[in-house]
Structure formats: C-alpha cells, structure tokens
Amino acid sequence: MDGNGRWAASRNLPRLEGHRRGAERIFDVIDECITLGIPTLTIFAFSVENWKRPVEEVSGLFKLGEFVLRANLARILKRKVKLKIIGNLEEMPDFVKEPLKDALIKSKDNDVLTLVVALNYGARQEVALATRKIAEEVAAGKLKPDQINWAELEKHLETAGLPDPDLIIRTSGEARLSNFLLLQAAYAEIVITETYWPDFTKEEFQKSLAVFAKRERRFGMTGAQVQPAKTL
Ligand code: FPP
C-alpha cells in the first residue's frame, strides 16, 4: 500500500493521515475482488523492516489497524471474508493481537474471499523459519534430506494452502518486491502503477487488472505452447 506518506506530504498533511486514507481503500479493493470472484487478496500492512520507522508512526499505524479492524469487522463478516495473517503476530502489541485473533476465529468458516494480511511479515524471515522447521524434522528422523523439494518447502511456508499470487500490484511507482512473498512470487505478474495507494480506487484496481489480463503467462514455456492453436 505504497505512497500513503507521499500522498499526505503532497497535501501538507501528516503521514498518518495518508495511512488513514489508505486504510479506507482496502475495502474498495475487497469489494471489487468479491464482485469479480477473485478468491484471494493479500495486503502488505506492516513489514518486519517497518519497525525501523519513527516510533510515533509505528504506534500510529498499530492504533489505526486496531481501529480499522474493530470498525469494519461486521462488514468483513457480512461479506463472508475469511481473514488470515502471515507474519509474526505474537510480536504485535496486545491491543492489535487480540482483535485480530477474535477476527480470525469469527471469520474462519467464511469462503467468499480469503483476505491475507501480511503483518510483521518478511519473506526472508519466513523462509528461514521454514528451513528451521524442516531441519528439525530431519533431525527427528521424520524427513530425509532427499525428500526436501519445493513441494515440501512450500508446506512449511506461512502461505501453505494458499495459491501463489498471480498478480502483484505496486502502487506509487515503486519497482521492487521489498521482502514480499519472494518465493511465492516466482511467476507472479507485477503491475506497477504511479497512483499513490490512497488514490487506488476500484477504477484504478480495474486498470491494473486490465494490464494483467493482457500479459502472456508462459511459466517457462514458449508462446506457441501457451497460446490456443490459431485457426487458418
Ligand atoms: C506504505 O506507505 C504503507 C505502510 C507501511 C502501512 C500501510 C498500512 C495500513 C494503511 C494499515 C495499518 C494496519 C496495521 C495493523 C499496521 P509509505 O508510508 O511507505 O508511503 P511513502 O512511500 O509515500 O512514504
């Protein structure tokens, strides 16, 4: 959700106002995913590196997160959205952790949209943790080293059971992955838009989807293999 800070700065507003406006946009995108039948949406709410921000911004983001969740839980449940968190929730303050755990329980049987919130998440940390779990299984004799392959590693990632992302949208012109789903994104299409996240309306989302729809996804194959046979 990049560009909240710059959106605010360009209006002489505090950065947190940009985050507050940015949080509202999440619900536009959720609604559009439901309308279009997109089954999984992941939002990057807070990275492990975001702890390095000024303490006032970090605590302001957590307070905002708590407020947004409490204010919108009924809306989320009504739309049959299932919440999932990836990242280290235990390190979050109790006032964020508790409503999130409540929302996880209340939404667990929902099946219209899975909303994955990456919170205190970092892909490198996720892979290190998965590797540690695999090493423990090998040490305990439950797994042989030659059984370790991508399918096995994938089972130990926090995203186990979730589909790989098809599309990653980077707002505000940023052109990097910033420790987000690095392995799962191996074949994701990346769409970069100059729009700041607080301006990322349903229409902007549709524009990014239209760019995605024009991409030829080859997954290592040739164009001829993935194109339907042309009639003469
Ligand atoms: C990136 O914009 C945005 C973030 C780091 C945080 C966005 C998170 C929310 C709106 C929800 C918060 C919820 C919780 C639970 C933490 P930026 O600040 O990097 O923008 P800039 O690049 O323009 O400075």
Side-chain angles (χ1 to χ4, degrees), residues 1-7 15 19 22-23 26 44-46 50 53 57 61-62 64-66 96 119 172 174:
M1 296 186 279
D2 286 300
N4 293 346
R6 278 164 286 165
W7 180 93
R15 288 180 59 83
H19 291 313
I26 297 170
F44 205 172
F46 194 82
N50 286 151
R53 292 190 174 211
E57 180 161 342
L61 273 171
F62 291 166
L64 173 68
E66 183 220 357
V96 180
L119 192 63
S172 80
E174 301 292 8

Side-chain angles (χ1 to χ4, degrees), residues 33-201:
C33 283
I34 294 173
T35 303
L36 297 173
I38 294 170
T40 312
L41 169 70
T42 303
I43 54 165
F44 205 172
F46 194 82
S47 73
V48 288
E49 290 82 14
N50 286 151
W51 289 103
K52 292 184 242 170
R53 292 190 174 211
V55 68
E56 312 79 56
E57 180 161 342
V58 171
S59 64
L61 273 171
F62 291 166
K63 282 183 199 141
L64 173 68
E66 183 220 357
F67 174 78
V68 169
L69 184 66
R70 287 192 194 280
N72 292 285
L73 182 60
R75 192 169 164 190
I76 290 170
L77 297 177
K78 191 172 172 218
R79 285 165 173 68
K80 297 268 175 273
V81 173
K82 177 181 181 164
L83 186 70
K84 178 167 170 69
I85 307 289
I86 56 170
N88 190 337
L89 187 57
E90 290 312 314
E91 282 177 6
M92 301 300 284
D94 286 345
F95 72 89
V96 180
K97 201 169 22 184
E98 296 315 326
L100 275 170
K101 285 188 173 172
D102 179 51
L104 287 171
I105 293 167
K106 288 187 172 140
S107 71
K108 72 178 175 36
D109 295 323
N110 290 346
D111 57 3
V112 169
L113 171 74
T114 301
L115 174 65
V116 185
V117 180
L119 192 63
N120 195 14
Y121 171 83
R124 288 177 167 178
Q125 291 72 10
E126 176 189 35
V127 173
L129 195 61
T131 309
R132 197 185 307 163
K133 287 187 207 153
I134 289 175
E136 282 166 1
E137 287 185 22
V138 171
K142 292 181 191 157
L143 193 69
K144 293 194 185 103
D146 63 6
Q147 290 175 309
I148 303 169
N149 52 22
W150 169 240
E152 190 57 42
L153 178 58
E154 199 178 23
K155 276 192 237 164
H156 293 79
L157 295 175
E158 296 192 58
T159 50
L162 291 170
D164 284 343
D166 289 305
L167 165 63
I168 293 181
I169 300 173
R170 271 274 3 201
T171 53
S172 80
E174 301 292 8
R176 54 179 172 264
L177 282 173
S178 301
N179 207 9
F180 179 69
L181 299 178
L182 295 181
L183 296 185
Q184 299 88 333
Y187 279 98
E189 294 297 326
I190 301 173
V191 171
I192 297 165
T193 165
E194 296 300 319
T195 307
Y196 291 152
W197 176 258
D199 290 329
F200 197 74
T201 55

Side-chain angles (χ1 to χ4, degrees), residues 207-222:
K207 279 188 213 165
S208 295
L209 292 173
V211 173
F212 168 74
K214 287 204 186 89
R215 297 272 174 90
E216 182 184 64
R217 305 190 73 199
R218 293 193 295 275
F219 300 97
M221 292 179 276
T222 67

